[in-house]
Amino acid sequence: MRKFVYYAPTEIVFGPGEWVKTAAEIRKFGGSRVFMIYGGHSAVKSGLIGRLTENLEEAGLTVLASGGVVPNPCLSTAEQMRGEAVKFGADFILAVGGGSVIDTAKAVAHGACAPEVPIWDFWMKKAEITRSLPIGTVLTIAAAGSETSDSAVITNDLVDPPTKRGITTDFNRCRFAVMDPELTMTLPVWQIGAGAADIFMHTSERFFTTILGNHLTDEIAGGLFRDILKYGPIGVRDPKNYEAMSEIMWCGSISHVGLTGLGARGDTSRDGDWACHQLGMAMSAIGDYTHGATLTAVWGTWARYVMHENISRFAEFARMTYGITAEDPEKAAEEGITRTEEFFRALGMPTSLTGLMGHKPDEKELHAFTDECSYGHTRTIGTFKVLDDRDMLEIYRRAE
């Protein structure tokens, strides 16, 4: 086990009906004027926004709700909401939704404390985040794990073509996350499937590391793999199944809180490969595709492209995740990759770019993805196998 620093300060309030504790949580962390951010009309139509507003106001809190966050959250929305929050005099940001809403809330929280700084400057590291408003969340989509992570991703839709970036900072940490699995039971099955895929991928990215020997960390990762493999497809088939939806929700938080990658990279808790996330983010920036679906579209191709860097690691993944008994590492590894693609299909997710995009991508599209992923041919991605722009293009081509 290598040395690491681990910090996970978010308070979790988990269980059916626990959303009613939201006001008490906000008060606990000093909030009085609450800027509540949500996504589309479904949050209003379901009555959740109305119930939450009533819950907060009955507790003596002042509330301003603002909706309109879309999947692959946009910089333009964050800037608009930052202006609303500043004008309102917000001292607390409440996100009601999934990763896109939470990441937007993080951007608004940072931006509200520095109204003169363009929010994108924080993401491009032109400006340093030195303070932020406290953030809490009522989670309604289990997927991104943003409720427990120190990361946030935003798409800059104010440039052409759009570009997508992420940042990590402890200022991204939510003070609390209210996690009521019943709030996820009305989601479209596509969102449930994409969420389960993202959850799997957060642990996959950390498992495929170049630093091994972290036995307990691997055991935690293996348990998470097996749990989401079992309950993800059940949630897709039966969204009213509380056991499945609660397991998916908890997997989502654990998958991105850092536990499944501790000790995997020298003297820091930054861990894992993350190439598939970079390949997927490039596609969602340009084509606005669902994040989880972009990951499943390239994972199998990426895995076969890099597996011989350490075939034993892929064989270990296959054995601990699926109980594969083949002694030959290559056979075990290939069976594990195939079984993972079957899992993605059981979630209703694509396993190729054609399945993702609805048509076979042409060379112009593949080069556009490569250009975005490589930041204009200026960077490499991945650690399990370092990939340059030629590798990225080849993976996109093979994933057709």
Side-chain angles (χ1 to χ4, degrees):
M1 177 72 74
R2 302 318 198 261
K3 59 184 177 179
F4 60 83
V5 175
Y6 184 64
Y7 179 58
T10 303
E11 180 176 331
I12 305 297
V13 182
F14 191 101
E18 292 295 86
W19 68 268
V20 299
K21 295 181 178 179
T22 304
E25 288 297 308
I26 292 171
R27 282 210 169 279
K28 181 189 298 185
F29 292 101
S32 61
R33 296 184 65 81
V34 182
F35 188 70
M36 181 163 60
I37 297 174
Y38 62 95
H41 297 296
S42 60
V44 175
K45 188 176 180 180
S46 70
L48 178 59
I49 299 302
R51 295 196 302 272
L52 276 170
T53 300
E54 184 178 2
N55 172 263
L56 271 54
E57 290 179 342
E58 286 181 350
L61 303 173
T62 303
V63 183
L64 176 63
S66 183
V69 176
V70 297
N72 298 313
C74 296
L75 176 63
S76 60
T77 304
E79 284 285 12
Q80 172 198 323
M81 290 182 171
R82 185 253 291 267
E84 295 172 0
V86 170
K87 185 176 180 180
F88 172 64
D91 60 12
F92 197 96
I93 307 296
L94 178 67
V96 183
S100 295
V101 172
I102 300 168
D103 284 3
T104 301
K106 292 175 180 181
V108 171
H110 307 333
C113 287
E116 73 287 354
V117 179
I119 289 174
W120 193 242
D121 281 3
F122 295 129
W123 263 253
M124 296 301 291
K125 299 181 180 179
K126 293 180 180 179
E128 181 182 1
I129 301 172
T130 58
R131 62 193 185 101
S132 184
L133 293 180
I135 310 159
T137 183
V138 176
L139 190 66
T140 66
I141 302 174
S146 188
E147 68 278 1
T148 53
S149 81
D150 62 354
S151 64
V153 177
I154 292 289
T155 297
N156 186 346
D157 59 325
L158 301 177
V159 297
D160 186 20
T163 188
K164 196 170 186 177
R165 296 288 191 275
I167 59 169
T168 57
T169 168
D170 277 334
F171 287 105
N172 279 333
R173 301 280 191 180
C174 291
R175 302 299 175 89
F176 68 84
V178 174
M179 300 172 60
D180 180 347
E182 292 182 338
L183 297 180
T184 69
M185 291 181 175
T186 58
L187 290 172
V189 294
W190 171 261
Q191 286 188 329
I192 297 171
D198 196 14
I199 290 165
F200 182 96
M201 286 300 305
H202 282 149
T203 293
S204 172
E205 299 281 22
R206 292 180 168 93
F207 184 82
F208 291 103
T209 176
T210 56
I211 295 179
L212 307 177
N214 304 302
H215 301 296
L216 179 57
T217 295
D218 283 353
E219 288 297 321
I220 295 170
L224 198 147
F225 281 139
R226 295 189 295 273
D227 207 51
I228 199 64
L229 281 167
K230 176 179 179 178
Y231 288 106
I234 295 174
V236 169
R237 293 193 304 268
D238 181 13
K240 299 297 184 183
N241 185 311
Y242 178 81
E243 181 182 24
M245 299 307 282
S246 63
E247 291 292 330
I248 293 169
M249 179 171 267
W250 189 226
C251 280
S253 292
I254 296 300
S255 71
H256 212 23
V257 76
L259 280 173
T260 58
L262 289 181
R265 188 176 166 191
D267 62 353
T268 173
S269 59
R270 302 286 173 235
D271 46 23
D273 183 77
W274 299 103
C276 286
H277 265 71
Q278 298 304 315
L279 292 163
M281 282 172 58
M283 292 187 288
S284 63
I286 292 173
D288 199 30
Y289 301 109
T290 301
H291 174 63
T294 66
L295 304 179
T296 64
V298 299
W299 186 87
T301 302
W302 167 84
R304 293 183 177 95
Y305 193 83
V306 307
M307 60 189 283
H308 290 103
E309 295 296 305
N310 187 343
I311 195 69
S312 296
R313 188 62 168 170
F314 273 90
E316 182 182 9
F317 162 76
R319 290 166 181 149
M320 73 185 301
T321 304
Y322 300 103
I324 290 168
T325 58
E327 292 186 8
D328 180 68
E330 183 132 7
K331 289 182 179 179
E334 179 57 42
E335 188 174 349
I337 295 169
T338 299
R339 291 278 294 275
T340 301
E341 290 176 317
E342 291 171 356
F343 163 65
F344 292 153
R345 286 191 284 268
L347 298 175
M349 294 293 104
T351 54
S352 68
L353 297 196
T354 299
L356 173 73
M357 302 169 69
H359 66 272
K360 184 177 179 179
D362 59 31
E363 278 295 301
K364 182 178 180 181
E365 289 171 310
L366 298 178
H367 279 275
F369 294 154
T370 302
D371 188 62
E372 168 64 15
C373 189
S374 64
Y375 294 175
H377 309 275
T378 63
R379 70 157 182 167
T380 59
I381 61 172
T383 58
F384 190 84
K385 176 180 173 64
V386 177
L387 306 173
D388 62 20
D389 53 354
R390 293 167 296 180
D391 296 310
M392 298 173 206
L393 180 59
E394 185 61 22
I395 289 173
Y396 284 134
R397 282 176 174 156
R398 294 187 188 186
E400 290 180 349

